[in-house]
Structure formats: C-alpha cells, structure tokens
Amino acid sequence: MYRYRLMAPGPTPVPESVLTKMALPILHHRTPAFEAVVEEVRKGLKWVFQTKSEVLILAASGTGAMEGAVTNLMRKSDVALCINGGKFGERWGKICKGHGLAYDEIKVEWGQPVKIEEVAEHLKNKKYRAIFATASETSTAAYHPIKELAALVKNDPETALVVDGITAVGVHDIPTDEWGIDVLVSGSQKAFMLPPGLAFASLSDKALKMAQESDLPKFYFNFLKEHEAIQKNTTAFTSPVSLISGLQEVLRLFKEEGLSNIFERHTRLAKAVREALKAMGLKLLAEEAPSNAVTAALTPEGINAGDVVKILKNDFNMTIAGGQDHLKGKIFRIGHIGYYDPMDMISALAAVESALVKLGVNLERGKSLGVALDILTK
Ligand SMILES: *Cc1c(COP(=O)(O)O)cnc(C)c1O
C-alpha cells in the first residue's frame, strides 16, 4: 500500500486545517460574519501580493483572472505585447485572439527566460497598451525576469505590465508595488494550497485607470465592479464562501511561517530537486533561470518521460506531470509548490530514481538522495 502523493505543479495538496475549515457549514455571503472573513482575507492578500492596492477575488480558475486582465485593460483599438515561452505564455495570445484583439508575440525558446533587450526593442518600435508576461512558466519550469520587465514600463503611464504569477506568488519574492507590476494574477490551486476555483488579480492605480478607459464588452469579469465590491469586503456575485474561508486559514498558516521563510523553503526544495535529478544524470530543461515552483527534467535518449510518470502512478501511487506539446514524452515535471516539506521531495526523488532504474537507466542508487538530503537538511 502506498499513500496517494500529489506532486504535480497544481493542483497541489491542501493542509488538513484548511480542509477542516472548508467543511464547516456554509455562511451566507451577504452577512457581517462573512464580510469579516473577507476583510481579513483582503488584508492578507495585500500582504502576500506585497501591495497597498486591492487584490480582486474571483470565482474562476486562474485563466479567468488572465482573461479579465485582458478585457478590462485593453481597448478595441489597442495592441498587446504577449511573451510566449511555453503553454501559459501562449495563453495570453490566445485570449487576445479570442477577443479579436491585435497583439504581437515574442516567442521564447521553451525552457529559456525572455530576453529583456528583445522586449525593450518592441517597446521602442510600437505603442503597446500592455505587456502580458508569465513569471513562472509552469510548462517549462523557467522563471522570467519580472523585475526587469516592470522597470521597462514603470514610468510609462500608457503601458501596463500584466503578470501571470499563478505559480510564482507565494513562491518567489515579487514585491508588486516596489517593482511596479500593474496586474499580478494568481490562483488558488498552486502555492495557495487550496482546491482549484479561486483566482486573484492585484490592480495598480494605472491598471484601474486603464480599466475605466476600456471599451471592450465584459460582464462577469468586470474588474471595476469587483474593485468596488472588495472595498466593501464582499464580491460582486455570490462569493465562493467555502474557498474563501479556506483561504482565511491558508493566510493564517502563511503568517505563521512568514513570507521570507516560505520563499526560502521553496528555494531550498527546488534546489534539492534540481541537484538530485542532475545527480541521476538527467538534464534540466530550464538551466539558466529555473522556477522554484516546479522542475522539468529531460529523460535520456530512448527513455519516454511519459513512462516515468506512469511508473510513479502505478508503482508508487504518486502523481507528477509530463511534458506538453513538443515536450510530450521528453520531460517530466515534479511540483514543489505549496504544502511540501523536505521529506516529500525525498519520496518523489526516490520514486523517480526507481522508475529510471526500472526503465534501464544505469545510475548509482541512492546517490541523488544523498545530494538532496545535504541541501534539504542544512
Ligand atoms: C496553472 C496555471 C495557470 C492557470 O490555469 P487554470 O487551469 O486556469 O487554473 C496559468 N498560468 C500558469 C503559469 C499556471 O501554472
């Protein structure tokens, strides 16, 4: 018997105290009792997002907040600049296309971070309403230079920086206000240690002004309406009350651990996984600028990465992720975002090592675990 272990980069495991909180009887959303919950959560989200501005709470998966950022900031006549370095970066362009918006796309080789000079060059040549970027590109495990991107438009009142921080908020230190990020998007099922269903979006003053000027059709994802509502400690439509109560407990856990300790834990787990996989003789997809949320490893010639995923599922009752699109069969991805500790990483690495041996890879058993333990238990 193996206990089920969810080690994918989202959805991620939910702590016991959060599960218990969400199992309590349903509160009515238009009551002082629930408004007190939202008030606390609202303060906590500002703290996690490192912003004085409001952070909207939407009942949607992360993509809902991404779509909302596009339809609320853009106008019909505007052009967007989308950075596409993987499945999620590609989504920004797809959303623009879906709404009939003009956009230019910077294609980045999968696994690489975007080159700032290339973005700066685009900005010199054309007026863009917004840059749509990804902080941690979950499909490739690459981390993009958000601070540098923000610096490009921080003092430009006509161009916003919108960041998909869905696997970055609560993992990497991203000081929203200090860097000048206009919209930072996240979701509940990654570092927030909740079930899927909540999306978040911070809104700078610049973003708010742009939302006032936007002439695109919208209804459910109306950021101005949500902004008004959150200031009254509520949401525009029926609140996902159980998830928000769960979030209240998550924020309590975050406070208990401390933001810098949360970042440090993710940094350490990620480093241990990367070094251990290298000790197994594997190459990492994102060597130059790796995300601390997820690690993607390439399997050796002749070994299908999908088989590693399958063996982990069948032999160890463990879920990790494979590759997408042209990386299918070539990489597997281990999530270390959210409710994980050093021993979780040891389990995942031990299982991966066993799977590789089963597939005929010649490696020294246990070496990678020693490498990981040295980093994890320092
Ligand atoms: C998970 C994820 C998303 C959101 O996906 P949803 O399925 O809509 O929650 C977006 N961007 C990144 C980088 C992600 O990891």
Side-chain angles (χ1 to χ4, degrees):
M1 190 283 279
Y2 284 94
R3 267 201 296 123
Y4 177 56
R5 287 179 167 86
L6 177 57
M7 308 278 313
T12 64
V14 178
E16 295 79 353
S17 66
V18 179
L19 290 170
T20 309
K21 190 84 190 284
M22 289 187 302
L24 294 175
I26 302 296
L27 290 172
H28 191 278
H29 58 297
R30 309 287 183 212
T31 56
F34 187 68
E35 279 159 21
V37 174
V38 176
E39 186 176 13
E40 192 181 317
V41 161
R42 180 181 160 208
K43 279 197 199 120
L45 284 175
K46 288 182 185 188
W47 170 70
V48 176
F49 278 68
Q50 305 187 56
T51 181
K52 287 199 176 69
S53 303
E54 297 295 343
V55 180
L56 308 184
I57 305 170
L58 307 165
S61 84
T63 308
M66 291 172 71
E67 176 159 18
V70 171
T71 56
N72 281 273
L73 265 64
M74 298 285 291
R75 293 167 303 195
K76 287 172 191 160
S77 55
D78 288 325
V79 185
L81 181 60
C82 301
I83 298 171
N84 171 2
K87 259 332 242 188
F88 294 106
E90 181 185 55
R91 189 164 297 175
W92 284 124
K94 285 188 171 172
I95 295 169
C96 289
K97 194 170 174 197
H99 288 279
L101 291 164
Y103 67 99
D104 288 340
E105 193 169 62
I106 297 179
K107 284 224 167 93
V108 183
E109 192 189 328
W110 285 33
Q112 296 293 312
V114 68
K115 288 192 181 66
I116 284 297
E117 312 80 64
E118 206 178 327
V119 182
E121 199 55 37
H122 273 79
L123 293 174
K124 246 186 253 159
N125 297 330
K126 205 185 266 186
K127 193 80 216 159
Y128 294 102
R129 179 70 159 178
I131 304 174
F132 293 96
T134 318
S136 158
E137 175 50 77
T138 318
S139 66
T140 69
Y143 186 75
H144 289 270
I146 297 306
K147 183 182 183 182
E148 289 75 10
L149 283 176
L152 291 177
V153 295
K154 194 175 179 183
N155 298 316
D156 179 348
E158 280 159 5
T159 305
L161 175 66
V162 179
V163 176
D164 169 356
I166 296 176
T167 54
V169 178
V171 176
H172 287 268
D173 187 9
I174 303 184
T176 302
D177 288 356
E178 189 189 316
W179 288 0
I181 299 168
D182 296 298
V183 181
L184 182 60
V185 170
S186 200
S188 54
Q189 80 274 27
K190 311 277 170 93
F192 281 94
M193 314 188 293
L194 286 162
L198 287 184
F200 312 115
S202 69
L203 280 186
S204 72
D205 290 344
K206 195 202 284 184
L208 261 182
K209 186 167 168 285
M210 286 187 170
Q212 279 151 3
E213 293 162 357
S214 170
D215 58 357
L216 285 172
K218 58 188 76 74
F219 183 74
Y220 184 70
F221 296 118
N222 185 324
F223 280 11
L224 292 178
K225 269 216 167 105
E226 293 294 349
H227 188 258
E228 228 173 83
I230 194 75
Q231 287 177 293
K232 294 178 194 145
N233 300 317
T234 187
T235 55
F237 304 99
T238 306
S239 312
V241 289
S242 302
L243 284 168
I244 291 176
S245 294
L247 178 58
Q248 186 185 26
E249 172 61 14
V250 165
L251 291 165
R252 197 190 61 73
L253 295 173
F254 277 5
K255 282 254 160 78
E256 205 173 80
E257 188 174 0
L259 264 192
S260 59
N261 290 330
I262 292 173
F263 301 145
E264 200 271 334
R265 174 167 54 85
H266 283 92
T267 305
R268 189 197 296 256
L269 299 187
K271 184 167 180 229
V273 169
R274 288 196 293 264
E275 294 308 316
L277 290 171
K278 284 199 267 184
M280 291 180 208
L282 303 181
K283 277 211 176 69
L284 304 182
L285 182 65
E287 272 284 15
E288 189 182 328
S291 164
N292 288 335
V294 55
T295 297
L298 295 142
T299 40
E301 266 312 302
I303 307 279
N304 186 329
D307 290 340
V308 176
V309 178
K310 260 186 226 148
I311 291 172
L312 260 62
K313 183 76 223 141
N314 295 338
D315 293 7
F316 300 106
N317 200 15
M318 186 182 289
T319 297
I320 61 167
Q324 293 158 292
D325 288 0
H326 66 276
L327 293 176
K328 204 173 164 108
K330 297 213 164 63
I331 61 163
F332 62 85
R333 293 172 297 145
I334 299 175
H336 29 75
I337 168 171
Y339 188 48
Y340 292 113
D341 75 4
M343 287 304 142
D344 293 321
M345 299 304 116
I346 293 299
S347 311
L349 291 165
V352 166
E353 194 187 275
S354 301
L356 291 173
V357 168
K358 190 171 183 178
L359 290 167
V361 177
N362 186 17
L363 54 78
E364 189 189 326
R365 293 228 63 169
K367 183 180 160 206
S368 65
L369 302 181
V371 168
L373 280 168
D374 274 348
I375 296 164
L376 292 168
T377 57
K378 226 175 253 164

